[in-house]
Amino acid sequence: MVAIIQDVSEMQRAAESLRTAGKRIGIVPTMGYLHEGHLSLIRTAKHHADVVVTTIFVNPKQFGPAEDYERYPRDLSNDSLLASSAGTDYIFAPESKSMYPNEYLTDVHIERYSSILEGRSRPGHFQGVATVVTKLLNITKPHVAVFGQKDAQQAVVIRQMLRDLNYDIELVIAPTVREADGLALSSRNSYLSTEERKQAPVLFQSLNLAEQRVREGVRVSVRIINEMSEFITNRSAGVIDYISIADSNTLEELSAIEGQRSVLISLAVRFGATRLIDNQIVKV
Ligand code: AMP
């Protein structure tokens, strides 16, 4: 059975005894309201570790003031069942005030990556992510951490942070899990109306269209971006926040796809108040 820990020191003690017993610890950080995407990360972690800790924490620091922190869906009891069925041994689900007590003053900031793409639309987001991930790593003491390709920029930010701060932790990025119609699973999909849900696969479809154009030899990014944009606006009520074609390692936006081995095509689209993101890596 899964052990649910809410207390920071208790989690640290549990992690320390696991380490002393020679166990390899894997962490899967999440904000809960778990779906099959999260569960695939837990299964992946199980392959890379003896003991899996799934963290469930809706981190206030990574939400902007006008964002959905308050209404973000939460269901710890169902999450525990799902996480346990996928092989989680420990759930760490702290309360906000134990992670950020009144006297809390420290933030982790990653230059450059924090202010582009998602960071441009969501100021402070990656600082919040880097800060909470740092804390979760210090609390759960993992040997391996598993994140999803669904949040492509987050994966790049975490990789940079682990390297810069000399974390001795293996990073595993697991592929995006999708619904049958291509929509990437997300806790935020629960916000969509029936009509919006019908239209939401345009993100994935536009990524496929972009991939096809790259394969056909189109190299001018703006041509591909314009076509994706038209595709989305013609087929849905989605409002495009951004569409980007960037180097997948440096996230540098590319006006032309030349000499890159791997490009990251990513986008954010709003359906009413719901903001969806998706991405695809295309090997050139
Ligand atoms: P979240 O709970 O949305 O913060 O996500 C927690 C982790 O699950 C992050 O590493 C995400 O990238 C990953 N994740 C979210 N959605 C998916 C998905 N559809 N497929 C695979 N991983 C996902």
Side-chain angles (χ1 to χ4, degrees), residues 1-2 4 30-36 38-39 42 54-58 72-88 90-91 93 187:
M1 245 333 263
V2 68
I4 303 178
T30 82
M31 297 204 299
Y33 213 67
L34 301 183
H35 51 63
E36 193 52 42
H38 297 116
L39 303 187
I42 294 170
T54 298
T55 69
I56 296 180
F57 180 58
V58 185
Y72 197 86
R74 292 157 169 93
D75 189 347
L76 184 57
S77 52
N78 194 45
D79 284 351
S80 310
L81 294 175
L82 291 174
S84 167
S85 72
T88 291
Y90 291 83
I91 289 177
S187 310

Side-chain angles (χ1 to χ4, degrees), residues 28-38 40-41 57 62 72 146-152 154 174-178 183-188:
V28 180
T30 82
M31 297 204 299
Y33 213 67
L34 301 183
H35 51 63
E36 193 52 42
H38 297 116
S40 77
L41 266 50
F57 180 58
Q62 70 189 69
Y72 197 86
V146 183
F147 287 83
Q149 178 59 31
K150 162 80 184 353
D151 296 274
Q154 172 171 275
T176 301
V177 177
R178 301 178 178 281
L183 176 64
L185 297 190
S186 163
S187 310
R188 290 190 169 98

